[in-house]
Amino acid sequence: MAVTPQQAVDAANDAYGRHPGYRALHAKGTLLKGTFTATQQAAVLSRAAHFQGDPVPVTVRVSNGSGHPRSPDYAPDVRGLAVKMYLPDGSRTDIVAQSAPRFPIRTPEAFLEMLRATSPSPAAAWRMPLFLLRHPEAIPCLPANLSALAPPASYATIPYYAVHAYLFLDGQGGSRYVRYSLHPEAGQARLGPRRARRGGRDYLQEEIRERVQRGPVRFMLELQIAAPGDAVDDPRSHWPASRERVSAGTLEITELDTSRERDGDVLVFDPTRVTDGIELSDDPVLRFRPQAYSDSVARRTAS
Ligand code: HEM
């Protein structure tokens, strides 16, 4: 039976508790701002406004995947990088990415099972093997994803993957599917568990605040371009490494954003918030996500 968005958010709440005012997942994070500047290659691939080369302002949120707002930063976890771009016509478009390179399942139902299997509880010992028995297709993703759970030295020293395919429409009537990933200019660095623990429960939030005060934090937005026949509606699918990769631009984070999410301001990053020049694929996980996010927003903003 199809799961509902409410059931998805219930599963997150069951795993991490209910925390009024906080996101059901990725509850702990830091808001930042900066700009995104596209390359010429991006303008060739999509007519979208933010890919034409003029810098656009952005809000960025870095986060831990846990639904607990006080999750220790040193705990093994996926990390999130969400970007909201403010377009010249007043509209917005979002990119929502996380640090696990492979997405192991292809339906919202399986996502719920995975959430239950990976949530911190004594039952986790048998839930995970059971989940893998029911979803053996997730097993090949494990090695890459497990190493991505190691605590990073900084939110600025790991890559992030947006998982789903999007259709890019150019100005000449051409189109192709692409996938986004964001790569840190600072290079990759992770910490061993002991060193991460020595940093304290909030070391990632503190580190990123200090880092942006010292100078801009940059990520390169990379596009991997699908070839005919590549699966574009399956978030599990992994296109061959030989597929063309293009640098689409630079995300430059310059300061903390202390103006948002206060005095009733609600900020939502939605992977289906696209703009002219970008269309959604029929990926069932992508199509399900905004409904679950809306339910989480309704709960976190309920007074
Ligand atoms: C069926 C699959 C998924 C479900 C049900 C789900 C659910 C959620 C929910 C309920 C939230 C909190 C939303 C809010 O209150 O604003 C959230 C946040 C988030 N999710 Fe997902 N998610 C799914 C898949 C993914 C995937 C595939 C990615 C990465 C590509 C991802 C990355 C994130 C990030 C980065 C955030 C935090 C955004 C922010 O900082 O506001 N999620 N997710």
Side-chain angles (χ1 to χ4, degrees):
M1 208 175 68
V3 296
T4 64
Q6 291 73 21
Q7 285 171 318
V9 178
D10 283 344
N13 287 169
D14 290 347
Y16 298 106
R18 284 167 203 265
H19 304 282
Y22 290 94
R23 288 161 172 77
L25 290 170
H26 294 264
K28 181 179 182 183
T30 296
L31 283 170
L32 302 153
K33 58 182 169 180
T35 55
F36 172 76
T37 310
T39 58
Q40 286 180 350
Q41 288 161 296
V44 172
L45 293 170
S46 169
R47 62 178 189 242
H50 55 300
F51 286 135
Q52 301 317 301
D54 289 332
V56 292
V58 299
T59 304
V60 174
R61 185 168 180 271
V62 286
S63 59
N64 297 340
S66 164
H68 200 295
R70 287 178 302 284
S71 64
D73 289 352
Y74 51 74
D77 202 351
V78 296
R79 316 291 159 172
L81 178 70
V83 186
K84 185 177 294 294
M85 319 223 189
Y86 300 91
L87 306 180
D89 68 356
S91 67
R92 283 119 215 246
T93 186
D94 300 346
I95 295 179
V96 189
Q98 62 168 21
S99 56
R102 304 284 297 271
F103 197 68
I105 45 90
R106 73 164 309 216
T107 62
E109 292 72 27
F111 182 82
L112 249 72
E113 286 181 48
M114 187 173 72
L115 202 56
R116 291 182 183 130
T118 52
S119 64
S121 85
W126 56 267
R127 278 191 181 147
M128 195 47 174
L130 203 64
F131 170 76
L132 292 173
L133 269 178
R134 286 170 52 84
H135 297 279
E137 71 279 8
I139 294 171
C141 305
L142 286 178
N145 283 359
L146 286 176
S147 46
L149 296 178
S154 164
Y155 283 123
T157 63
I158 49 171
Y160 298 86
Y161 307 87
V163 171
H164 312 287
Y166 293 86
L167 184 67
F168 268 32
L169 308 173
D170 63 31
Q172 267 67 51
S175 65
R176 70 280 294 155
Y177 278 97
V178 307
R179 273 188 173 136
Y180 303 115
S181 53
L182 289 132
H183 300 270
E185 184 190 63
Q188 294 197 40
R190 295 184 183 273
L191 301 180
R194 283 227 203 104
R195 259 189 80 196
R197 205 171 264 269
R198 274 206 301 275
R201 297 182 70 85
D202 299 321
Y203 82 90
L204 283 175
Q205 321 307 316
E206 290 158 3
E207 197 280 341
I208 197 72
R209 275 180 219 149
E210 287 159 19
R211 191 181 277 257
V212 290
Q213 273 168 18
R214 290 198 303 270
V217 168
R218 297 191 188 90
F219 288 87
M220 187 263 284
L221 179 70
E222 186 179 87
L223 306 175
Q224 189 186 18
I225 305 177
D230 286 343
V232 295
D233 59 357
D234 182 351
R236 259 176 347 186
S237 68
H238 198 58
W239 300 339
S242 57
R243 294 288 178 266
E244 188 184 354
R245 288 169 194 270
V246 167
S247 166
T250 304
L251 175 67
E252 184 169 89
I253 303 171
T254 49
E255 55 186 309
L256 267 185
D257 191 338
T258 51
S259 66
R260 303 301 307 266
E261 300 208 319
R262 50 173 59 205
D263 305 326
D265 173 46
V266 181
L267 188 56
V268 188
F269 295 91
D270 174 353
T272 63
R273 198 189 319 260
V274 288
T275 187
D276 178 62
I278 305 175
E279 289 181 359
L280 304 179
S281 58
D282 281 331
D283 178 333
V285 172
L286 175 61
R287 300 286 178 153
F288 183 80
R289 283 174 66 191
Q291 308 165 50
Y293 288 38
S294 294
D295 190 67
S296 169
V297 172
R299 294 187 200 196
R300 69 177 155 97
T301 56
S303 49

